[in-house]
Amino acid sequence: MTVSETSTRNVAEALAVTGERADLLEMLAVQRHFLRLTTRDLTDEQARLRTTAGALCLGGLIKHVTAVERSWAGFILHGPSAVPDFTAMTEADWARRADEFELLPGETLAGVLDDYADVSRRTDELVATLPDLSITHALPNAPWTEPGKRWSIRQVLMHIATETAHHAGHADIIRESLDGAKSMG
């Protein structure tokens, strides 16, 4: 049994969930595992490095995924009022948001991984305890969101897993560019 299978089983068992909720927890756990795996054995300095033509670094990707998951968990609990109105953001707001893509001076890889673990546990608890995954909220205002579109809690959880997988792929490319290490293969 792999580490991700063990941790997935432990999460589902610890939270006493089965069926769809166990499936969602497994999907989240596997994607989180691959994202975290890209940072194995790195120093803080290595986690800050931009190894591709883009501006992404491994520490920043972990921070970004953490912030996104935290934001979506707030959305699940409180609806669109818990998420910024992206259509009203100023240049200063966007600049502050850009900081979540970097491991800033004074931040450590261990610290951002710990924060990610805390956010992940809280999301997992939501999966296990929410009474109905079919409850919907209007999506927040954003240039990439269809006006009036609603998502269920289930859709939000699938989006969190998709976002995590998307960035795990970015992280794998960054890590391979750094030192040749891969998450798989």
Side-chain angles (χ1 to χ4, degrees):
M1 187 176 321
T2 67
V3 173
S4 63
E5 289 170 336
T6 303
S7 64
T8 299
R9 181 168 293 149
N10 292 344
V11 169
E13 288 174 2
L15 297 174
V17 298
T18 59
E20 175 187 29
R21 292 171 192 260
D23 291 346
L24 287 167
L25 288 172
E26 179 179 0
M27 184 186 317
L28 288 165
V30 167
Q31 300 313 320
R32 291 170 180 151
H33 167 75
F34 283 116
L35 178 61
R36 284 190 308 266
L37 186 62
T38 64
T39 66
R40 70 194 175 284
D41 303 322
L42 292 181
T43 65
D44 293 339
E45 293 73 28
Q46 289 171 312
R48 285 186 181 89
L49 291 176
R50 296 175 179 172
T51 63
T52 65
L56 299 175
C57 68
L58 292 170
L61 277 172
I62 300 290
K63 279 178 55 180
H64 171 68
V65 171
T66 301
V68 167
E69 187 165 327
R70 180 182 289 121
S71 180
W72 281 114
F75 173 83
I76 287 170
L77 291 170
H78 307 291
S81 65
V83 182
D85 179 343
F86 289 96
T87 63
M89 287 178 61
T90 65
E91 285 186 36
D93 294 330
W94 286 109
R96 276 191 300 281
R97 188 165 190 268
D99 285 347
E100 78 184 31
F101 290 95
E102 294 185 48
L103 189 61
L104 299 172
E107 294 177 329
T108 65
L109 179 58
V112 297
L113 286 168
D114 286 346
D115 191 30
Y116 186 43
D118 290 341
V119 167
S120 298
R121 275 191 294 278
R122 287 194 293 273
T123 302
D124 291 348
E125 289 168 5
L126 286 175
V127 172
T129 60
L130 288 169
D132 184 358
L133 300 180
S134 299
I135 294 169
T136 66
H137 297 297
L139 289 176
N141 291 329
W144 51 84
T145 301
E146 179 184 331
K149 182 85 172 169
R150 298 181 70 83
W151 271 4
S152 68
I153 293 169
R154 180 180 298 102
Q155 287 172 292
V156 172
L157 294 168
M158 289 187 297
H159 178 72
I160 292 169
T162 301
E163 176 91 2
T164 304
H166 179 81
H167 289 306
H170 288 142
D172 205 35
I173 291 166
I174 293 167
R175 179 61 191 260
E176 190 171 358
S177 297
L178 175 68
D179 63 5
K182 300 180 207 174
S183 296
M184 295 172 47

